[in-house]
Each structure stands twice: as C-alpha cells, then as structure tokens.
Amino acid sequence: MASILHAQLATPSKLKLSWRHTLAPDSLASTSSHSHSSFAATTSKGRGNVVSMPIIRCNAQAAPGAVNLAPGTPVRPTSILVVGATGTLGRQIVRRALDEGYDVRCLVRPRPAPADFLRDWGATVVNADLSKPETIPATLVGIHTVIDCATGRPEEPIKTVDWEGKVALIQCAKAMGIQKFVFFSIHNCDKHPEVPLMEIKNCTEKFLRDSGQNHIIIRLCGFMQGLIGQYAVPILEEKSVWGTDAPTRIAYMDTQDIARLTFIALRNENVNGKLLTFAGPRAWTTQEVITLCERLAGQDANVTTVPVSVLRLTRQLTRLFEWTSDVADRLAFSEVLTSDTVFSVSMNETYNLLGVDAKDIVSLEKYLQDYFTNILKKLKDLKAQSKQTDIFF
C-alpha cells in the first residue's frame, strides 16, 4: 500500500497547483504554474545577491480522477492521528482525545529529545516528517481521523511544512481513505494575501475543500498560553516586556477549550465540510493584556514599545536579501498582528451549532488569575523553604 501510494504521489499529473507571484507590492509579475515540489521564491541565485522577494498568492486544486487506494477493511472511529502533537495546541488535543477514550497516534518528527511525555500519557508515537512525503503513508494505516495542528519551525521556510507538507498530507489522507480531516487555520487568512503564512493557510483550506476529503476547517485567533512567556513571566522576572503602539485586538482562547470544542465538532455530523472560527469571550489589545498582568502580579512591567513603523521598515529591509527572506515573511505576519485589526468573531452561532454554553469558556482574566495565583503561591513556598535552610548552628 505505502509503496503504491508513494509512486502515486511522485506522479506530477496527480496534482495541479497555480501560483501567482507579485514581485513587488505595486507591480504585477507574470503568472506561472508549478507543482507543489517546485516553488520559485527569488529572482536571482547565489548567497549575498539582492533579490526581489515575491508576495505569494496561490490557487490550489486537486486534479480530477485521483485514485482512492483505501482498503475495504473498516477502521475504528476512535483511531486518530494528531499531527504536530508536541506543540501548544497539539498536546492539548492529545490529552483531550485520551481523556475521551480515543486511540491516539502522534506523528512526531525524529528528534534528539524524544516526546516521551506523549507515551507517558498513553499515546502511540510514530516518527515522520511532513517535509518528506514518503514518510507519511505508514503513519495513516488504520487511522480514521487526522487532526492537523502542525506548523513549521521558525528556522525553516514557511512553505516547506505549511504548504508542501500539508498538500502531501492531504493527498495521502485522501488516497488512503481517511474518513475525516481536521485542519487548523488562522482567522482572516483570506483577507491578507500579502502575508505568506496567511495566504498559504488560505490556499491549504482551498486545497482541502477541492480534494473531496471529508473535513472540518477551524480558524483560530490566538492562544492564551502564548501570553505566559510573552508577558507574564517577564513581568515576574522584572525583564523587559515587548509591545507595540498598535490598537490590534485579539480574542485569545485557552487551548484546552479549543481542544474540547474540536472533539464536540468532530462528533457532530452537521459540522462536516464546514468552516468554523473559534474566538475567546473578549478581544484584548497588547496594553490591556500587560495592564491585567501587572495587576495580577502586583508589580509594574518594564515595557519596551516598538512602533509599527519600525516593524514595517525592518520587513522592507529583510525582503531585500535572500538569506533574510524567511524573516521578512514572519515579520509580515507580525505587521498584521500590530495593525488596526480585530481578530475576533461572534461565537453565538458556533455555540448553538455545537450545543456549548458560553459560560463554560474560560476568560482571559480567569486564565491569568489562575496562573498568577498558582505561580505566586509556589514562589512564596520556595521563599519559605529557602529561609528555613538559612539556619546555621
């Protein structure tokens, strides 16, 4: 099975992708078609050369008549594969699935430090890499549902995992008869084609829909967990907290709530093929988050404000050189997050569809209050223990 599928994936005719490259914000370059394995990202070669980095726009469409290699043997509906299981969201998906009685298999890249905590929880860990499509099919044998939480590492090109890897994963899932595919995307990704990561998420959504694979797409606004390292810990350690002067508002959501709602949606047949957006109870600006952390920590933050104009200038400069192109791509995403944008939606329709009470969703105030209460208690206990050991005879 796996060898047949690998041969199928290696045939370019099975996939048609069309990329439109705009070489500069104000100019339109020629349109060209490429397979998912060939992606032109620069206009000149060689380290150190000045190049024009494209703003990527793409349309992805699976070729008709793709062969479904699914065997006739049914698989258990409780068998799921979590891709990106070691990440902030992925590990909560794994924990929730195990708590609800699912048989969980985790696709994890080979790494020096094994993901032993996943095994300790009761999950099965398999090594594979989305950037190496030939490693994917074996991980899908006996799987009913794929939940894709993966994203590329900061040090690698965005397209490697978030586009090429996702296309290969969807192709494999479709060919091997996976019954359901859950894909996590970004809120408003269809409104920011100038940002490579958001445009690639939008393209992946289109590719998944056009593939004919039974699916659920869930767009997310922001994780509460990310605020701990960004604001809470630096304030407690009296280190600098970085912020911007932009009025962007983000409706952060606890990843445990995201995981819970995901499995409610997974069991609801009325959600099949739908696009959902999960958002927290309220949208917050950076300054509001910092002020909340200051109040709960009982101390002021050392805030270093980065003007949005500096981010824009930095992005323009990093786009000029080949070796900083990926930095520019990620700064483009940062620029959107620091613009006058609201990353939030009304959840009333989603709550009604899923049968969820809005009161059961954790607010940012409650999440951070619990964090600071626990951490300050631990610090107090450690201080008390330290005083006890300072007794000399």
Side-chain angles (χ1 to χ4, degrees), residues 194-377:
E194 75 280 6
V195 181
L197 178 60
M198 299 185 79
E199 175 64 0
I200 285 174
K201 288 289 187 182
N202 185 38
C203 288
T204 307
E205 290 182 8
K206 293 179 181 179
F207 185 81
L208 180 56
R209 286 192 293 265
D210 292 343
S211 71
Q213 170 69 52
N214 188 22
H215 68 274
I216 302 172
I217 296 172
I218 301 174
R219 291 182 178 179
L220 305 174
C221 298
F223 301 156
M224 291 181 183
Q225 280 73 7
L227 301 176
I228 300 301
Q230 192 169 2
Y231 301 115
V233 172
I235 289 175
L236 288 172
E237 295 181 347
E238 299 182 355
K239 295 181 178 179
S240 292
V241 174
W242 296 86
T244 70
D245 55 359
T248 310
R249 307 182 75 86
I250 301 175
Y252 300 99
M253 197 172 199
D254 187 349
T255 52
Q256 292 188 30
D257 281 334
I258 294 173
R260 183 170 64 88
L261 296 186
T262 296
F263 283 99
I264 293 175
L266 195 61
R267 293 187 293 269
N268 189 333
E269 294 300 322
N270 295 325
V271 180
N272 289 344
K274 290 187 178 296
L275 169 63
L276 304 177
T277 300
F278 291 170
R282 174 191 161 186
W284 296 74
T285 65
T286 296
Q287 187 54 55
E288 287 173 339
V289 173
I290 293 174
T291 300
L292 177 60
C293 289
E294 287 178 321
R295 177 170 61 82
L296 294 173
Q299 60 192 67
D300 294 335
N302 180 19
V303 182
T304 300
T305 301
V306 180
V308 176
S309 58
V310 173
L311 280 178
R312 292 196 181 107
L313 177 60
T314 304
R315 181 194 172 199
Q316 291 172 359
L317 291 175
T318 53
R319 287 183 64 216
L320 294 176
F321 300 96
E322 184 175 1
W323 65 86
T324 57
S325 61
D326 296 323
V327 176
D329 289 348
R330 296 183 189 280
L331 281 173
F333 185 61
S334 299
E335 190 174 319
V336 171
L337 292 179
T338 54
S339 61
D340 188 7
T341 306
V342 177
F343 281 81
S344 181
V345 294
S346 170
M347 288 286 289
N348 291 335
E349 184 177 344
T350 300
Y351 289 150
N352 290 333
L353 177 64
L354 301 181
V356 174
D357 191 336
K359 296 179 181 178
D360 295 332
I361 303 299
V362 175
S363 67
L364 183 60
E365 297 100 320
K366 178 67 166 59
Y367 176 82
L368 288 177
Q369 184 177 32
D370 288 347
Y371 171 80
F372 278 106
T373 298
N374 291 332
I375 199 70
L376 291 174
K377 182 179 183 301

Side-chain angles (χ1 to χ4, degrees), residues 171-189:
Q171 282 185 304
C172 289
K174 176 63 176 175
M176 295 187 67
I178 296 301
Q179 299 300 301
K180 193 170 293 187
F181 194 106
V182 179
F183 174 65
F184 288 103
S185 188
I186 301 174
H187 178 51
N188 281 341
C189 64

